[in-house]
Amino acid sequence: FMLNYNYGNREAAEALLLAEAIDDMHKVYPRDRDMPMLLYSCITTLDRMTSPDAQGASAHLRSILTVEYQDSPEARKVLNSARSS
């Protein structure tokens, strides 16, 4: 993502728009093979931000990734990082 330049919360609004777009895309194309990678990339971008909206969007996308794409390598990364924290 072009948003991922460590600008912190200054790019939160754009990241939230991206999260919403990925969520909408997942509803229309649930079997898209790139969806787990898109979700994971957006989650890692949102996790760098401290705003409550960004953290809420990250939690929402994290639940989609770990429930609906639980067999993907990206979901395993998220689940393993949650266990080690």
Side-chain angles (χ1 to χ4, degrees):
F1 297 114
M2 295 303 290
L3 294 172
N4 200 5
Y5 286 114
N6 292 325
Y7 292 130
N9 288 334
R10 291 183 289 172
E11 61 185 14
E14 291 81 5
L16 290 171
L17 288 174
L18 180 64
E20 184 178 345
I22 290 173
D23 186 26
D24 290 344
M25 185 176 158
H26 138 267
K27 292 172 186 172
V28 176
Y29 303 107
R31 298 190 193 279
D32 188 303
R33 65 179 176 83
D34 294 326
M35 189 55 60
M37 184 258 326
L38 289 171
L39 287 162
Y40 183 76
S41 295
C42 193
I43 289 166
T44 56
T45 299
L46 290 166
D47 283 347
R48 291 189 182 112
M49 299 172 193
T50 58
S51 73
D53 290 341
Q55 293 302 307
S58 175
H60 176 69
L61 294 183
R62 187 181 316 276
S63 67
I64 292 170
L65 178 61
T66 57
V67 171
E68 297 189 28
Y69 303 99
Q70 61 191 350
D71 294 331
S72 69
E74 293 83 4
R76 283 188 223 110
K77 286 182 201 176
V78 168
L79 291 170
N80 287 336
S81 70
R83 287 183 190 134
S84 64
S85 311

